[in-house]
Amino acid sequence: MAALRVAVPVLALLGLCPGPAAATAPLVIWHGMGDSCCNPVSMGYIKKLVEKKIPGIYVLSLKIGSSLIQDMENSFFMNVNEQVSQVCRQLAQDPQLQRGYNAMGFSQGGQFLRAVAQRCPAPPMLSLISVGGQHQGRVYGFPRCPGESSHLCDWIRKTLDLGAYSKAVQEHLVQAEYWHDPLKEEEYRKNSIFLADINQERGINETYKKNLMALKKFVMVKFLNDTMVDPPISEWFGFYKSGQAKETIPLQETSLYKEDRLGLQEMDKAGKLVFLGVQGDHLHFSEEWFDSTILPFLQ
């Protein structure tokens, strides 16, 4: 019997005996503009759905602020760089995430979580799923803006049209920080305090590139009937051809990809980039689609 007791761990050490099954990686979710961490018809619903379909998984739906109202308000008015810094500290202090986690961002939460991946490698983000995130920015449209006739929405649109790249607007209006006007490329590169930084528009930060390339998968979901994001191809990291606002090009034709400033070309060749399309307007998808298409990336 003594020999048998010794043999089992020896086989395990040699890799010939399977150990216990690995636990499912935790999931971190970041909501979009005008939403909150725990809205029962959006992020609260997604959290419960994932927990139901993957028993035992730890799901953290990020809340920016001390209340749900503050969380929603901060999605409009809190400097994105400070939001990302707060999230990085929160993740670093969460004992359930220390061995790594998957991340899923909805609309602007997609590009915000990409910033987390690039700036904060500990704890490690394993895979990033961007659901309608605008990775090359946008020039119009507000997903989940509270009411098309809302005075707030109208004010934001007018403010962006008049002075998106002014210092005061950049520092205090979230949507200005990923506003990308193809007719004002130089102004965007010079004055955008968030998107131009994480997209390496002013130089190459090798740490950003190294950290993003550490992802196992970078999944990008584009809504094929999107009427709220301009241009929708930004959800697949494409954008307008420089200097005009009519013809769009895919990621593979952009200078970002050709110069491989973020490592996306290398990731693409390694099969790490996944481009998914779903019928419907912005953030409109069925539970069946989510179950069959998104959940496999979490298991």
Side-chain angles (χ1 to χ4, degrees), residues 160-219:
L160 289 170
D161 286 339
L162 292 173
Y165 299 118
S166 69
K167 184 177 180 181
V169 174
Q170 280 287 309
E171 291 181 350
H172 299 290
L173 183 59
V174 165
Q175 290 67 41
E177 295 176 50
Y178 55 90
W179 198 251
H180 187 173
D181 190 335
L183 304 180
K184 299 178 180 179
E185 288 284 358
E186 188 57 37
E187 194 174 354
Y188 156 72
R189 281 191 291 269
K190 181 179 178 181
N191 297 314
S192 169
I193 66 173
F194 174 69
L195 190 68
D197 175 66
I198 66 168
N199 280 3
Q200 307 273 48
E201 298 283 5
R202 293 188 285 265
I204 305 299
N205 182 326
E206 292 295 342
T207 300
Y208 281 8
K209 184 174 179 179
K210 175 185 175 183
N211 291 342
L212 189 64
M213 290 177 64
L215 290 174
K216 295 178 180 179
K217 291 288 182 183
F218 180 9
V219 181

Side-chain angles (χ1 to χ4, degrees), residues 272-284:
K272 290 186 172 185
L273 301 187
V274 180
F275 301 89
L276 300 177
V278 58
Q279 296 293 335
D281 205 343
H282 196 71
L283 298 186
H284 290 190

Side-chain angles (χ1 to χ4, degrees), residues 31-131:
H31 62 79
M33 184 184 80
D35 203 356
S36 69
C37 67
C38 313
N39 186 331
V41 299
S42 57
M43 295 302 98
Y45 172 79
I46 292 294
K47 182 176 185 293
K48 288 183 177 180
L49 181 61
V50 172
E51 291 170 339
K52 177 183 176 182
K53 299 291 184 178
I54 310 177
I57 190 173
Y58 173 67
V59 181
L60 172 64
S61 188
L62 294 167
K63 181 171 71 173
I64 313 300
S66 59
S67 68
L68 299 188
I69 294 297
Q70 194 172 61
D71 187 21
M72 184 273 289
E73 291 175 343
N74 285 338
S75 73
F76 291 107
F77 302 120
M78 183 178 181
N79 186 298
V80 180
N81 293 311
E82 177 54 31
Q83 291 192 52
V84 170
S85 294
Q86 282 194 18
V87 167
C88 288
R89 290 193 294 269
Q90 183 178 351
L91 301 184
Q93 295 167 5
D94 191 326
Q96 303 236 41
L97 304 178
Q98 299 315 300
R99 296 180 64 181
Y101 63 95
N102 293 316
M104 187 185 306
F106 292 83
S107 198
Q108 69 183 26
Q111 57 260 35
F112 297 175
L113 278 171
R114 176 163 64 85
V116 171
Q118 292 175 210
R119 294 175 178 176
C120 309
M125 185 184 294
L126 305 175
S127 292
L128 171 59
I129 302 171
S130 169
V131 184

